[in-house]
Amino acid sequence: MHRNGPIDDIDESELTVTPPHQQAAGMKAVGVAMARAVSDMGVVRTARTLARVNQVHGFDCPGCAWPEPTGHRRPAEFCENGAKAVGEEATLRTVGPEFFAAHSVAELVEKSGYWLGRQGRLTEPMVLWPGDTHYRPISWDDAYRLIADHLRALGSPDEAVFYTSGRTANETAFLYQLLVRSFGTNNLPDCSNMCHESSGTALTGSIGIGKGSVTIDDFAAADLIIVAGQNPGTNHPRMLSALADAKGAGAHVIAVNPLPETGLIGFRDPQTVKGLVTGVPIADDFLQIRIGGDMALFQGLAKLLFEAEDEKPGTVLDRGFINAHTAGFADYERHIRAVDLDTVVEATGLTLDQLRRTARLVAASKRTIVCWAMGLTQHTHGVATIEEITNLLLARGMIGKPGAGVCPVRGHSNVQGDRTMGIWEKMPEPFLAALDREFGISAPREHGFDTVAAIRAMRDGRARIFFGMGGNFVSATPDTAVTEAALRGCALTAQVSTKLNRSHIVHGETALILPTLGRTDLDLQNGVRQQVSVEDSMSMVHLSTGRLKPVSPHLRSEVAIVCELARELLGPDHPVPWERFRADYDLIRDAIVRVVPGCADYNTRVRQRNGFVLPHPPRDAREFHTTTGRANFAVNDLTWVPVPRGGLILQTMRSHDQYNTTIYGLDDRYRGIHNGRRVVLVNATDITEFGFADGDLVDLVAEWTDGVTRRVDGFRLVAYPTPRGNAAAYYPETNPLVPLDHVAARSNTPVSKAIPIRLERSTSHPAAHPPARAEHRSTAPDTDTGRVDHDAL
Ligand SMILES: Nc1nc2c(c(=O)[nH]1)N[C@H]1C(S)=C(S)[C@@H](COP(=O)(O)OP(=O)(O)OC[C@H]3O[C@@H](n4cnc5c(=O)[nH]c(N)nc54)[C@H](O)[C@@H]3O)O[C@H]1N2
Ligand SMILES: Nc1nc2c(c(=O)[nH]1)N[C@H]1C(S)=C(S)[C@@H](COP(=O)(O)OP(=O)(O)OC[C@H]3O[C@@H](n4cnc5c(=O)[nH]c(N)nc54)[C@H](O)[C@@H]3O)O[C@H]1N2
Ligand SMILES: [Mo]
């Protein structure tokens, strides 16, 4: 077994910067994908594995949630970054007991997330006893007993937190929430709380279901596609193929982004010979918006649509749809007519001409799709912004017909399915009632903690046990110093994981690592191969079958871990047939049928060629299961993000070489950043005005209304074409800057895309991986508010 993980950690002094790329994908991407995969998996495993990604009898790519095409599948239905995701999981490097014996926790805490992840797959359950210096092996049975003993010792089940990341398959998710609710709590925070929660909240209120209303086939039928707050070239590369096809069929594409992201500006489709040679520019128009200006954009466009309708009545608004299917239009119209276009220009940084041209395109379009991701959701006004998108589409009757609709582009490959299966701290009553009926349990009804509430509860000692079903909670969450202290305050932290990460190293008094099978791994239960299923971003449910020999005989499937823990915790007389579920996943799916609406004949339909699509009343029948029984227009006061005097608004985003907190490598190739990650992209004029030069080393300092100064040190300034007053840097290095209480209204999502900061000349040197740290200097009492006091800067 080869081991060639990085011996040294990141050395930021090696960082180099080149001009951003004009085109994404192409031959280079194929080469990078293959080289990376072969280095992780070896040649044979690479060939075997990549041939099965996203194929009908293969496994679902553990990368993003973009759907597979329903018709012909290309031989390679994955992208460069999908190959990296697969290689990361299917690697032959391992971290077993000898690794933990050789490295103390005190030593590991100094390592970067990159280094930790590159060490390989976890192979055996490990425990860190109170006060001990090293993780030591523990048997599965003892691990379950330890967790059960801790859980039973709590004053109340609500003192435990059960987190889920979005790779967890439907079968696991369903059983996991069943275990947690049988135990007696709804504390089921998930990564979605930090991700598309704003989309779910907005869409549920507006159209009665928190999911996108388009299918992959709608893309080819659209004539206008707006992609706002999303970087598909890196995060959903297969979406570029769908956009390219749509363009081929005549669609016009508009990118709305503060950054000229490479995938949107140019794209070479590696799947076609023509694509490799020529390249197709994706975006016909690029609206370089100021961070946080999107709500203003969509209100401004609506205002211009009303003006166009005044000029030519009956040509712009879809009165038939509005009258038949919506509520609240009159209030919306009154509100929008009062919008001041000068304010829109100021908030967006766009010109009136750009706004007018875009409004003309929207008015002329017969089939419009709007796509979005984190650039819209992770804002104080994320929910309201998505409501404005929906308003605009409703006014033009663009929901529930081919080629049109709302398209939140999900992140994790099964984050949408996990919600469908009940991973949510506030599942509605009909679901809980069905669960009670099916299993003879009494699910608790009081809402549980979401991610931010869970951190507050652990910080304040109201929660004492953290259980993670995947993910990397410590590194994914805001306010790193607060979160790390919160986890350290727990009596027990237990993580079901494939790879080593910081959440194993920043731990409670007792800590457990429970190593599990990934998507690519063969899952045998009593000698019979099991399959799991997932739901993509467009509500398609399909099977995923792993076939690789697991790297260790000690790995257990997530389903097995949930069932075995449940047996230990809830006892042999518990009404749920845990042992039968573990032995045959078809039985889990049969139970899902009786609890989750739209899942009839699950086992049969999921085995069809493309699986099956879950019901979506607005898409299927223009039915809206909202408070009014109609699609609701929402009215929102215009909010945007002014730039603080002497400071900048910072967005935290992904490089091309990472999957959330998993760092694959140190190149953000399209943006021209190589061999390092501690960079901050700032407009060249701002750099000069602040008295710095391109390449200078700076500290990023955030002052918040709670009086705490948060800072991260030693970032290299990179002059970059971002709007004046805006900056960009990578997550998770910048998470110490995101205040825990800086959250989106109504969705409680951390505001990772708009942190007011200022730059200070750095006294530190380009360090070999400065560990995450935030200096907490409290100068004022804690407050509850989430408003930015820009003058504090
Ligand atoms: N390879 C890879 N694939 C991934 C992931 C990964 O880390 N790596 N992560 C997965 C997950 S969980 C998710 S949620 C998705 C994330 O997918 P994205 O949302 O594409 O991810 P981010 O890198 O956060 O990019 C945010 C984009 O929004 C823009 N933006 C920032 N602020 C604003 C704003 O105020 N307005 C507008 N209009 N744009 C703004 C940024 O410039 C950037 O282009 O990707 C998924 N897929
Ligand atoms: N500042 C800032 N913070 C953010 C964001 C941002 O844009 N800016 N984005 C937010 C978003 S959109 C998201 S979704 C979250 C992501 O938050 P998480 O989902 O918690 O984080 P990941 O980095 O995706 O989790 C990676 C870990 O998952 C484990 N893992 C991988 N595959 C499997 C599997 O099959 N089973 C199990 N059990 N474990 C597995 C591995 O051990 C790996 O180390 O981060 C959020 N945090
Ligand atoms: Mo996400």
Side-chain angles (χ1 to χ4, degrees), residues 438-618:
E438 169 70 12
F439 294 108
I441 63 166
S442 338
R445 294 306 199 263
E446 200 186 320
H447 289 173
F449 298 140
D450 64 9
T451 293
V452 165
I455 297 169
R456 289 188 185 128
M458 290 186 282
R459 175 195 64 190
D460 301 341
R462 286 178 285 118
R464 309 197 56 247
I465 293 180
F466 178 91
F467 188 97
M469 179 55 76
N472 182 2
F473 191 82
V474 162
S475 297
T477 46
D479 232 346
T480 309
V482 175
T483 303
E484 290 199 349
L487 269 289
R488 288 190 193 285
C490 284
L492 175 73
T493 50
Q495 313 280 351
V496 179
S497 312
T498 51
K499 302 288 294 273
L500 187 63
N501 65 44
R502 195 164 169 85
S503 298
H504 306 120
I505 311 302
V506 176
H507 55 82
E509 191 184 19
T510 302
L512 278 167
I513 299 175
L514 306 172
T516 190
L517 297 174
R519 283 279 167 80
T520 50
D521 295 323
L522 177 66
D523 179 358
L524 291 177
Q525 300 297 334
N526 302 346
V528 180
R529 190 184 73 194
Q530 304 295 322
Q531 298 171 292
V532 293
S533 56
V534 294
E535 175 185 344
D536 68 28
S537 202
M538 297 179 183
S539 306
M540 291 294 299
V541 181
H542 56 88
L543 277 182
S544 177
T545 316
R547 287 164 204 270
L548 293 181
K549 184 168 177 262
V551 289
S552 147
H554 302 292
L555 301 186
R556 300 223 171 149
S557 74
E558 292 180 334
V559 166
I561 294 170
V562 169
C563 292
E564 288 160 1
L565 175 60
R567 282 268 303 186
E568 181 65 39
L569 178 66
L570 306 169
D573 299 330
H574 193 257
V576 177
W578 296 107
E579 179 49 32
R580 293 177 55 223
F581 281 156
R582 187 196 61 74
D584 183 356
Y585 299 1
D586 274 356
L587 299 180
I588 309 172
R589 289 182 279 269
D590 286 341
I592 290 172
V593 170
R594 294 185 289 272
V595 176
V596 181
C599 290
D601 284 331
Y602 200 128
N603 271 308
T604 314
R605 289 197 298 154
V606 83
R607 287 181 167 87
Q608 296 164 354
R609 192 184 147 78
N610 291 311
F612 66 97
V613 63
L614 285 166
H616 189 289

Side-chain angles (χ1 to χ4, degrees), residues 175-434:
L175 291 188
Y176 181 53
Q177 61 83 31
L178 180 59
L179 162 67
V180 171
R181 294 193 163 104
S182 296
F183 173 60
T185 180
N186 280 313
N187 287 344
L188 283 158
D190 66 356
C191 66
S192 195
N193 296 144
M194 300 178 269
C195 186
H196 266 293
E197 195 71 58
S198 300
S199 308
T201 306
L203 293 176
T204 302
S206 295
I207 63 169
I209 177 167
K211 300 180 181 182
S213 73
V214 298
T215 65
I216 187 84
D217 295 332
D218 286 319
F219 273 73
D223 62 30
L224 176 66
I225 302 173
I226 301 179
V227 182
Q230 201 197 333
N231 179 20
T234 285
N235 297 314
H236 304 91
R238 285 179 304 116
M239 179 179 174
L240 298 184
S241 299
L243 290 173
D245 291 349
K247 277 181 68 76
H252 189 98
V253 177
I254 303 176
V256 185
N257 203 303
L259 303 180
E261 301 286 28
T262 301
L264 288 172
I265 305 305
F267 166 57
R268 285 165 186 263
D269 189 347
Q271 304 282 347
T272 66
V273 176
K274 193 165 143 268
L276 281 175
V277 182
T278 56
V280 203
I282 293 280
D284 299 280
D285 288 306
F286 170 41
L287 300 181
Q288 187 164 30
I289 197 161
R290 288 202 174 119
I291 289 176
D294 304 83
M295 184 181 173
L297 170 65
F298 287 101
Q299 286 201 351
L301 290 176
K303 162 124 181 167
L304 292 170
L305 291 187
F306 279 113
E307 288 181 7
E309 174 78 5
D310 292 344
E311 276 167 31
K312 284 196 190 161
T315 61
V316 177
L317 302 176
D318 186 340
R319 296 277 179 194
F321 179 86
I322 294 169
N323 293 335
H325 298 294
T326 72
F329 181 72
D331 288 341
Y332 172 64
E333 174 168 9
R334 203 173 312 119
H335 188 74
I336 291 297
R337 282 189 184 275
V339 166
D340 170 28
L341 286 177
D342 290 338
T343 309
V344 173
V345 166
E346 186 192 336
T348 57
L350 303 172
T351 64
L352 208 48
D353 277 352
Q354 283 177 304
L355 293 170
R356 288 196 193 286
R357 173 178 155 77
T358 310
R360 274 196 301 276
L361 287 163
V362 172
S365 162
K366 302 228 166 351
R367 294 173 305 276
T368 311
I369 294 175
V370 183
C371 309
W372 69 88
M374 297 304 100
L376 264 51
T377 62
Q378 296 174 335
H379 278 293
T380 48
H381 52 304
V383 177
T385 300
I386 293 154
E387 285 176 344
E388 295 300 341
I389 290 176
T390 315
N391 286 339
L392 194 75
L393 291 172
L394 289 174
R396 304 210 61 249
M398 290 292 174
I399 288 186
K401 69 175 193 184
V406 284
C407 182
V409 181
R410 303 276 162 183
H412 266 300
S413 51
N414 198 39
V415 61
Q416 186 160 318
D418 290 345
R419 277 293 166 91
T420 306
M421 294 297 134
I423 303 289
W424 197 22
E425 69 281 356
K426 44 186 182 199
M427 277 310 274
E429 175 58 27
F431 178 91
L432 300 175

Side-chain angles (χ1 to χ4, degrees), residues 66-140:
W66 187 257
E68 286 75 52
T70 48
H72 169 69
R73 293 196 188 179
R74 314 185 209 218
E77 200 50 67
F78 61 90
C79 64
E80 172 192 350
N81 280 345
K84 290 182 200 163
V86 169
E88 179 79 19
E89 180 175 299
T91 180
L92 289 166
R93 298 184 194 115
T94 53
V95 263
E98 64 302 338
F99 172 90
F100 289 103
H103 301 279
S104 70
V105 173
E107 185 188 329
L108 294 176
V109 87
E110 297 298 325
K111 300 293 189 188
S112 72
Y114 172 59
W115 189 93
L116 294 174
R118 295 303 290 170
Q119 301 311 305
R121 284 285 296 267
L122 297 159
T123 62
E124 277 186 49
M126 303 295 299
V127 64
L128 185 69
W129 295 111
D132 201 355
T133 54
H134 290 71
Y135 270 99
R136 296 174 200 283
I138 182 172
S139 72
W140 279 104

